Each structure stands twice: as C-alpha cells, then as structure tokens.
Amino acid sequence: MKRSAADVIREYGPYEGVDQVGGVTYDGERIWFAAGDTLKSIDPESGAASRSLEVAAHAGTAFDGKHLFQIAENQIRKIDPSTGRVLATTPAPSTGAVLRTIESNRFVTGVSWVDGELWHATWEEDRSDLRRIDPETGAVLETLDMPAGIGVSGLESDGGERFFCGGGRSAKIRVVRRPKRSSKSR
C-alpha cells in the first residue's frame, strides 16, 4: 500500500451562517454541501457562495447528473437543484437489499468513484485520510493522510484531479489533489 501526505491545494470558507459542513458533491459547475438547515453551493474557481436551498441537509450529499440527493435524519431526499423542491423521499436506511459490503477499519465519512477508482474518506479522533480501495476486495491500495487536526466530513471528485473534502465544524471545504496514475497502475 502506498501512503503519502494529502496535497491540500485550496481551502474555501468558513462561510457565514454555516456551523458545519456535512456531505459534499459536485454537479459539474458547483460544489454543493450539507449545512444543517440548508443545502449550499459555491463556485469552485472563486469559492464564492452561489446558491442556498432551504432543505434539511445533515450528512451525505450526492448528484446523479440531474438531481441532488440529501440525507436528513432518517430520509434521503431527491431534490430539484433549480427550484430546491423535494421531489421524493426514501427511508434511510432503505429497505433495499444490500448487494455487497466493503469493510473499513475506520469510520467512513464520504465515498467517491472516479476513473474506475473507489475512494473513501475516514475521520476518527483528530485524524482523517482519503483511501483508494480495491472495489472487489476492499484492500486499501493508497492512503492520503490529511494534515493533523483537519477532518473530512464528506468527499467528492470533480471527475479529474481534485477531491472536494467537507471540513466538519471548521465550516470549510478543502481541495485535495488526486494522485496521477500511469495507465499501467490502473
């Protein structure tokens, strides 16, 4: 397993009125994050706040190419990002069948899939890291250690070289450079 320090290339926030950043996602234009009673977005180039949707947003946030999905208490809400309207709700945990479980020896705080790579964030006590894992076996292939005292409360890729990492109670979002790989190592 390869282990190295995370290359934190940018930091956004803290944002006014945000006590905590929960889940994080990216819609191709904006970074969206769970901020308690609102789902907020920022411009990834300037870091400026751009939108705020009045919807409970406590943890996991995802984007499927058209809709936002947000965990709030015991529900997953499907949200229209242009209006903020909740289109559907699903119980969390869902009653759907578990297809597979991948074990982790740390508390997982975010998951992202990019270029055939499965990454997840962890946060326990005062330590966080990003881990690339084998999607078949769950073996940790690579670990990026976050600087001491910086937690990761959500994880998303921009589909390229950046990971967006929620910063929990710091009310910040950090950008970590995704390691480049040769085609041989994929």
Side-chain angles (χ1 to χ4, degrees), residues 8 50 58 76 84 97 110 124 130 134 183:
V8 179
S50 59
H58 304 134
I76 301 169
E124 283 186 15
L130 307 181
D134 182 309
S183 58

Side-chain angles (χ1 to χ4, degrees), residues 76-141:
I76 301 169
R77 295 185 170 114
K78 179 180 180 179
I79 302 163
D80 180 334
S82 61
T83 66
R85 191 169 145 244
V86 175
L87 303 173
T89 59
T90 304
S94 169
T95 57
V98 174
L99 300 177
R100 208 158 147 244
T101 301
I102 298 174
E103 298 284 332
S104 177
N105 64 349
R106 292 182 47 89
F107 185 72
V108 175
T109 58
V111 178
S112 188
W113 185 272
V114 58
D115 290 339
E117 296 178 352
L118 179 57
W119 287 83
H120 73 80
T122 74
W123 187 357
E124 283 186 15
E125 298 171 0
D126 202 21
R127 290 184 33 232
S128 270
D129 58 35
L130 307 181
R131 296 175 173 191
R132 181 171 59 94
I133 64 171
D134 182 309
E136 296 302 317
T137 67
V140 177
L141 304 173

